[in-house]
Amino acid sequence: MPRLSRARRLALCGALALAWLAPPATADECPATGQWYLDGGDPVSPDTLMAELAEREVVLLGEQHDRLAHHRWQLHTLAGLYAHRPRLVIGLEMLPREAQPALDAWVAGELDEAGFLEASQWHDAWGFDPALYFPILHFARMQRIPLLALNVDHALRRRLVDEGWDAVPDAQRFGITPPAAPPEAYRESLAEEYARHPGDDDNGLVRFIDAQLVWDRAMATALAEAGGDDTLVVGLIGQGHLTHGHGVPHQLDDLGLGDHSTLLPVTPDAACRPVEPGLADAYYLLGDESPHEPPATLRLGVLIGEHAEGVAIHGVGPDSVAAEAGLREGDVIVRAAGRPMSAPGDLTRLIQRMVTGTLLPLEVRRDGRVQELLARFPAPSP
């Protein structure tokens, strides 16, 4: 896949706005939706593409985590790949290594949905609605396709960033080796994103990039280890970790696994401009799925983790409710809506019950002092 030097904007949690750089097309030149295209814009039939992809060692399916259409596309693509190569493993960015027993029990039919969410600690590990993912999880269970936890938890990621790789024993980091240096374009895109966080310093930028590389390397390592024995490994991963061959694909190359392909779902813009070259090896052009998407889930816009005193804030999304409220990386939310916060899931479940146009009082420990902040979830535009 071509490696371009142009910096791209990478959003927290792996969501990326895909770029459209070419001049607007005429109506007659608009590519057809509901169609697969190779990098460069040539259409390809699904049977031809699936047969070719099924010969790979690893296939990476990108997503924007809150887009139902993306998860439907992933499910359909998984079914197509499975038809060509039944020896399949599905890797999930959503869960850390500690959740592997819960995934195994789910595939074995030993857990119902509620039991799986509890056993995997889904709400602590992942802030997105599990209903978006359950059709894929049910597909895996029905076909007895192994599910693989690709990620590491926030605590380990922070240790590797703060203490360094040599300070964390190999067994405690699941044998994950230090990441390869990122391509300069990837570093630039991360720096561009980080610059949107007012008040953060250069040391914070280094930590931000290092944390992203831990994430990329952990997922690449799990994918590489799951291969072999004529098994196709398919990773479901936020597209910010995949585009332009950066992130996970780059780390796979460094691990000696070069036989991989990246696929993305893409929605054309109003001007019908073609997809930026080099974005992925192939992409599926979605039609307008907005009428079929569920109402958007309210989001605070933070990366969260465990803390002895509450819920730690590991990152704040730009232009988010959290940013408007004044939350910062390093804050600890000790109470929300008057309720003590003892685990990330406490905050996630509370946010899921919020409605538009309401306020969420927060008590936040910062620099040894507790202060009150008010998160405002805006009302929908008229």
Side-chain angles (χ1 to χ4, degrees):
M1 179 164 56
R3 305 292 197 258
L4 302 186
S5 60
R6 183 182 298 275
R8 305 308 308 153
R9 185 176 303 279
L10 179 67
L12 289 171
C13 301
L16 186 70
L18 301 182
W20 304 80
L21 299 182
T26 66
D28 292 339
E29 295 172 335
C30 288
T33 57
Q35 169 70 54
W36 284 98
Y37 293 87
L38 299 175
D39 182 30
D42 292 332
V44 59
S45 66
D47 55 334
T48 298
L49 181 61
M50 291 300 116
E52 179 180 345
L53 291 170
E55 298 301 317
R56 298 284 183 269
E57 292 186 58
V58 172
V59 174
L60 305 169
L61 304 184
E63 64 176 65
Q64 291 182 25
H65 304 311
D66 59 353
R67 289 287 307 279
L68 175 60
H70 286 196
H71 300 298
R72 287 172 172 162
W73 166 82
Q74 287 174 327
L75 176 58
H76 301 162
T77 305
L78 284 165
L81 292 170
Y82 179 74
H84 285 274
R85 194 166 171 188
R87 292 187 65 87
L88 196 69
V89 171
I90 302 173
L92 304 174
E93 174 192 357
M94 303 83 216
L95 293 173
R97 300 296 203 279
E98 289 82 358
Q100 190 59 52
L103 289 171
D104 295 341
W106 168 265
V107 172
E110 298 169 2
L111 297 173
D112 60 11
E113 290 187 0
F116 169 74
L117 295 178
E118 181 178 0
S120 66
Q121 296 186 309
W122 178 279
H123 291 293
D124 291 339
W126 196 245
F128 295 90
D129 187 351
L132 296 168
Y133 296 88
F134 266 125
I136 293 172
L137 298 178
H138 279 289
F139 170 73
R141 184 189 56 76
M142 292 175 69
Q143 304 294 340
R144 292 297 189 262
I145 298 171
L147 292 168
L148 180 66
L150 299 181
N151 221 325
V152 293
D153 63 21
H154 291 301
L156 176 56
R157 193 178 308 132
R158 182 169 287 272
R159 283 189 66 193
L160 291 170
V161 170
D162 292 344
E163 302 174 25
W165 288 77
D166 292 339
V168 181
D170 184 78
Q172 293 182 18
R173 50 182 161 93
F174 304 97
I176 302 168
T177 53
E184 187 57 31
Y186 192 40
R187 187 182 296 275
E188 289 173 4
S189 70
L190 292 172
E192 182 183 348
E193 174 58 34
Y194 187 81
R196 299 178 63 188
H197 298 262
D200 288 334
D201 56 23
D202 291 340
N203 184 58
L205 171 60
V206 172
R207 295 178 67 255
F208 178 70
I209 293 175
D210 286 347
Q212 187 79 5
L213 294 179
V214 171
W215 207 332
D216 293 336
R217 187 68 170 197
M219 292 191 284
T221 299
L223 292 165
E225 291 175 347
D229 194 26
D230 195 34
T231 298
L232 172 61
V233 186
V234 182
L236 309 185
I237 296 173
Q239 56 196 30
H241 293 280
L242 303 179
T243 54
H244 294 299
H246 303 158
V248 174
H250 178 68
Q251 298 300 330
L252 283 171
D253 289 339
D254 183 69
L255 290 166
L257 198 159
D259 187 19
H260 55 79
S261 292
T262 297
L263 312 179
L264 295 177
V266 175
T267 302
D269 69 349
C272 197
R273 286 174 285 206
V275 175
E276 179 182 359
L279 197 68
D281 295 298
Y283 56 91
Y284 185 83
L285 204 61
L286 289 168
D288 181 10
E289 290 290 321
S290 57
H292 313 295
E293 291 279 343
T297 302
L298 293 183
R299 299 189 58 76
L300 191 58
V302 290
L303 292 176
I304 58 179
E306 296 180 351
H307 192 279
E309 299 181 29
V311 177
I313 304 298
H314 296 315
V316 179
D319 305 320
S320 64
V321 170
E324 291 293 327
L327 280 169
R328 301 177 188 172
E329 181 180 353
D331 285 348
V332 178
I333 299 177
V334 294
R335 298 177 72 86
R339 304 177 184 179
M341 297 287 105
S342 58
D346 295 339
L347 181 63
T348 299
R349 286 185 286 270
L350 179 59
I351 298 298
Q352 289 177 343
R353 292 195 294 268
M354 299 293 295
V355 296
T356 57
T358 57
L359 305 176
L360 177 62
L362 301 171
E363 294 180 30
V364 176
R365 182 173 295 279
R366 179 185 298 165
D367 300 327
R369 299 177 58 189
V370 174
Q371 57 182 282
E372 295 185 359
L373 299 176
L374 198 60
R376 300 175 182 270
F377 294 93
S381 302

